[in-house]
Amino acid sequence: MTQQVPLLINGELVQSESTNIIPVTNPATQEVIAHVPCATPAEVDRAVAAAKAAFETWKETPVGDRARLMLRYQALLKDNQDEIATLLAQETGKTFADAKGDVWRGIEVVEHACNIASLSMGETVENVARNIDCYSITQPLGVCVGITPFNFPAMIPLWMFPMAIACGNTFVLKPSEQDPLTPMRLAELFKQAGAPDGLLQIVHGTKDVVNQLLTHKDTPAISFVGSVAVGEHIYRTGTEHLKRVQAFAGAKNHMVVMPDASKNQVVNNIAGASVGAAGQRCMAISVAVFVGEAREWIPEVRDALAKVRPGAWDDPDAGYGPLINPQAKQRVLNFIQEGKDAGADCILDGSDCVVEGFPDGNWVGPTMFRNVSRDMSIYQEEIFGPVLIALEVDTLAEAIELINENPYGNGTSIFTSSGAAARKYQHEIKVGQVGINVPVPVPLPMFSFTGWRKSFYGDQHAYGKQAVKFYTETKTVTSRWFEDDIDTGVNTTIQLK
């Protein structure tokens, strides 16, 4: 009998009463490996209520105890990394090596949460006026919500609930219905680490569950990662209901290639960053901008891409796995056809990709276009597949102008041996995360993930110090203690004396 994925409410695994059931499939075979329920409205309310009740106790828990919970949790995640990665690979199609990377980047954020005492310190100034001191403290918000996508079912939930809970909040996670098994395993290990019941709830479902969480009176903070259209909806709906929202949305990431760059590094890094994880990364390089004579390297990039072979998760020679589902595959194929129809040169076509032994997999081979105009859909929209677009310009200034005109601002990189070119690029580019000779500049957790423009809606970003600000409120205290009982008279002004 196929497993039915449970909900997690108040520390208990609960079989949903919902009749709305979604199959979870292996993307390489279409085999149904589990069924996930769309939680009923009553079950969502129960989850929020359990989190709210747990918050009353957890917010009083000493910060050292919260940090020690995260220390135990990161140890368990490390001990079980291979097991989690195997589960993740089977339900997402990622290669095992890529799945381990997914888990590891989440572990790094949990390690960062272990430092919560230092991260949540306030500020103090003595004698802001005579015998009056002023200081700030941070306090948790309450029940926080995370809505996570399919493409990083370990890393992105671990961006969210460990930081929120370390700050003193409780959490309701709504993971992607396409790969819920990995988040459920993360939750089991969290409980094993000693997390009290009610700290973390998991509810499954689609837009109805999301909208209920967005509008619920007891969920003051919403964190979301997903597409642009959904990100806008999350942000608008959440803020209209007076919630604090961070919504990470789509991307169209450019890599600029200067003629003085190391050609071998350029070729290898573009190939890996464009088709890794089948291009299903919000930080994937989907556009390479070749400046001046660097355009002569385009055939070599194409040849390197052609050597990358997709395959099943346990194939050690596979460069990446299948798309998450047949609909995602068809969407990518539609974009490839639109590019051809619009007159772009498809110099490498992966539309008819076949992987031996897996005839039903959602395969798309590495694909590359040249002679693409900026008004074509393959440039304007996020394809989210193993498709690379090569653009050609004459100068660095043209490359910067091109990228700054694009509506997205998630990540970008430049490959060059010139410090002056790199400095100009990082200063003038209107993108939140910049790599210099680094193709995928995802920051480590002591910093924050900082997409700009249509790639992000909100003001405080994920993990790092900004996550602490997002998951807490600042309270400022002004205090004075009288040394004697001298009558100084009534003061009716706002000025402190």
Side-chain angles (χ1 to χ4, degrees):
M1 183 175 178
T2 304
Q3 170 189 2
Q4 177 158 316
V5 184
L7 312 174
L8 177 64
I9 300 177
N10 201 29
E12 299 293 330
L13 297 178
V14 176
Q15 291 299 327
S16 175
E17 297 180 358
S18 175
T19 57
N20 185 3
I21 307 297
I22 300 171
V24 179
T25 59
N26 180 330
T29 64
Q30 309 310 319
E31 173 194 4
V32 176
I33 57 178
H35 288 104
V36 62
C38 294
T40 66
E43 289 165 345
V44 174
D45 283 341
R46 281 176 55 199
V48 175
K52 183 180 180 182
F55 174 67
E56 294 306 314
T57 302
W58 184 245
K59 69 180 181 180
E60 304 298 341
T61 302
V63 67
D65 290 348
R66 288 183 259 137
R68 282 184 281 275
L69 171 60
M70 295 304 157
L71 283 166
R72 295 192 298 271
Y73 188 41
Q74 61 91 21
L76 283 172
L77 290 171
K78 288 178 179 177
D79 289 344
N80 292 275
Q81 184 183 2
D82 283 2
E83 177 217 329
I84 301 168
T86 299
L87 181 63
L88 190 156
Q90 290 172 343
E91 65 176 344
T92 64
K94 287 187 178 184
T95 63
F96 181 67
D98 196 23
K100 283 193 71 171
D102 186 332
V103 179
W104 181 254
R105 293 310 298 265
I107 291 173
E108 290 179 324
V109 177
V110 178
E111 289 178 336
H112 187 63
C114 297
N115 194 35
I116 192 61
S118 297
L119 292 170
S120 57
M121 283 182 175
E123 299 172 317
T124 302
V125 175
E126 188 179 48
N127 279 342
V128 293
R130 189 170 301 279
N131 294 326
I132 294 180
D133 305 327
C134 193
Y135 53 94
S136 65
I137 56 179
T138 57
Q139 294 187 329
L141 301 172
V143 180
C144 300
V145 171
I147 302 161
T148 58
F150 74 85
N151 58 335
F152 285 97
M155 181 185 76
I156 294 179
L158 292 174
W159 277 9
M160 296 180 184
F161 74 81
M163 291 300 298
I165 290 172
C167 287
N169 302 286
T170 53
F171 205 86
V172 178
L173 176 66
K174 206 302 287 183
S176 171
E177 67 279 7
Q178 299 183 84
D179 44 18
L181 300 177
T182 299
M184 291 302 300
R185 183 60 180 141
L186 298 180
E188 290 173 4
L189 291 173
F190 192 53
K191 184 176 176 63
Q192 187 178 332
D197 292 345
L199 254 60
L200 175 64
Q201 329 290 324
I202 298 184
V203 294
H204 306 291
T206 54
K207 63 181 181 180
D208 290 340
V209 172
V210 170
N211 286 331
Q212 185 177 353
L213 291 169
L214 279 177
T215 58
H216 200 289
K217 64 182 178 62
D218 292 324
T219 56
I222 309 290
S223 185
F224 165 82
V225 177
S227 68
V228 172
V230 180
E232 286 191 35
H233 169 73
I234 296 287
Y235 184 73
R236 291 182 186 279
T237 304
T239 53
E240 283 172 1
H241 286 80
L242 304 180
K243 300 180 187 298
R244 184 176 295 187
V245 181
Q246 54 177 203
F248 299 84
K252 197 71 175 179
N253 305 313
H254 299 68
M255 177 194 286
V256 173
V257 181
M258 300 297 291
D260 60 3
S262 167
K263 181 170 69 172
N264 289 335
Q265 292 296 325
V266 165
V267 170
N268 291 331
N269 279 280
I270 289 180
S274 59
V275 302
Q280 296 176 124
R281 294 172 177 159
C282 68
M283 289 291 285
I285 292 297
S286 55
V287 182
V289 184
F290 295 86
V291 179
E293 296 176 358
R295 57 171 51 93
E296 297 173 4
W297 303 347
I298 292 176
E300 293 177 66
V301 172
R302 175 203 58 206
D303 294 344
L305 280 172
K307 294 176 182 178
V308 180
R309 183 176 62 80
W313 73 270
D314 55 353
D315 179 352
D317 297 322
Y320 63 88
L323 278 295
I324 188 65
N325 57 39
Q327 294 76 24
K329 173 184 175 179
Q330 189 58 53
R331 181 176 182 275
V332 173
L333 294 179
N334 289 345
F335 273 117
I336 293 173
Q337 188 60 50
E338 286 176 19
K340 295 174 184 177
D341 293 343
D345 293 336
C346 188
I347 60 176
L348 179 65
D349 191 351
S351 300
D352 298 323
C353 179
V354 175
V355 174
E356 185 177 355
F358 297 91
D360 298 322
N362 307 316
W363 310 108
V364 177
T367 300
M368 186 172 179
F369 282 96
R370 193 172 186 177
N371 295 324
V372 176
S373 63
R374 300 183 204 179
D375 60 348
M376 293 181 183
S377 64
I378 57 171
Y379 178 72
Q380 288 291 322
E381 299 187 47
E382 183 178 31
I383 298 175
F384 225 55
V387 180
L388 177 67
I389 293 166
L391 299 182
E392 302 165 45
V393 297
D394 294 327
T395 66
L396 176 58
E398 288 181 68
I400 292 172
E401 180 183 9
L402 180 153
I403 296 167
N404 285 345
E405 288 179 353
N406 190 278
Y408 298 104
N410 214 32
T412 188
S413 61
I414 182 171
F415 273 64
T416 181
S417 61
S418 167
R423 176 65 175 77
K424 176 181 176 67
Y425 191 75
Q426 73 174 43
H427 179 66
E428 296 183 11
I429 207 70
K430 297 177 182 177
V431 175
Q433 295 164 121
V434 181
I436 297 172
N437 297 318
V438 174
V440 183
V442 177
L444 290 173
M446 62 285 294
F447 294 92
S448 296
F449 189 94
T450 53
W452 284 12
R453 295 187 281 160
K454 285 186 71 173
S455 293
F456 178 72
Y457 300 92
D459 55 0
Q460 300 292 343
H461 293 83
Y463 58 82
K465 293 180 181 178
Q466 292 194 34
V468 176
K469 292 181 179 179
F470 180 77
Y471 288 122
T472 60
E473 286 278 23
T474 299
K475 180 181 289 184
T476 304
V477 180
T478 304
S479 69
R480 174 169 60 186
W481 296 96
F482 298 105
E483 295 183 6
D484 48 42
D485 196 23
I486 299 174
D487 185 0
T488 59
V490 176
N491 180 6
T492 60
T493 69
I494 197 171
Q495 180 180 358
L496 298 174
K497 295 182 179 179

